[in-house]
Amino acid sequence: MSSVPRFWRSLGSRYNLEGTRCKECGEHFYPPRNFCVNCRRVGHIEPYRFKGTGEIISYTVIHTAAEGFEDLAPYTLAIIQLDEGPRLTSQVIGDPEKIHIGMRVRSVFRKLGEDGEGGMIYYGTKFVPEDA
């Protein structure tokens, strides 16, 4: 049995923005998929590490945060379309007043939260404006 930290480090899609790509049609998937939704059984899926750049296609500013995130408010959650095609939801770090649809962003590795004062700290992907 593996330790908890080793288990989380092994999840590439969580820490490295890794997904999959179909060798037949070139479609990219995030989170990773076991088969191509376009090619079905004919498609061959391979691991793919995304560049981590994309564009905000929609966003909202959270003013009343959920428990454990009160210190972050106000903060921005956005739907980001990666340059390779997939869309994902992530926090965008920066002044909420300056965030806009069409803004170019890039991924960064940041603290996502922790389980209490003495608990486990967990990390993952957030985004920042590309020019930051």
Side-chain angles (χ1 to χ4, degrees), residues 1-129:
M1 183 169 168
S2 67
S3 68
V4 172
R6 182 175 297 167
F7 168 77
W8 286 109
R9 281 194 306 268
S10 70
L11 296 177
S13 62
R14 180 176 178 96
Y15 290 109
N16 296 310
L17 206 54
E18 291 178 359
T20 50
R21 177 182 150 325
C22 177
K23 289 180 173 182
E24 299 300 315
C25 69
E27 183 84 19
H28 294 85
F29 302 101
Y30 185 87
R33 291 185 177 233
N34 293 324
F35 68 93
C36 178
V37 297
N38 302 319
C39 302
R40 304 284 178 179
R41 294 183 182 175
V42 194
H44 300 302
I45 295 293
E46 64 183 355
Y48 183 84
R49 185 166 185 175
F50 292 96
K51 294 184 298 184
T53 55
E55 175 179 317
I56 294 174
I57 60 168
S58 183
Y59 72 95
T60 188
V61 178
I62 307 297
H63 293 278
T64 306
E67 183 178 338
F69 296 93
E70 301 91 349
D71 293 342
L72 298 176
Y75 63 92
T76 306
L77 285 181
I79 297 175
I80 296 163
Q81 182 159 5
L82 298 174
D83 290 341
E84 294 90 342
R87 294 179 178 183
L88 57 93
T89 302
S90 182
Q91 182 180 351
V92 178
I93 301 168
D95 182 355
E97 298 280 327
K98 295 181 180 176
I99 304 293
H100 58 87
I101 292 174
M103 175 181 265
R104 297 286 306 161
V105 290
R106 64 180 169 82
S107 63
V108 292
F109 187 72
R110 294 287 189 268
K111 178 180 172 182
L112 296 178
E114 60 185 79
D115 291 330
E117 285 185 33
M120 186 171 87
I121 298 173
Y122 42 100
Y123 297 86
T125 302
K126 294 184 180 183
F127 284 80
V128 296

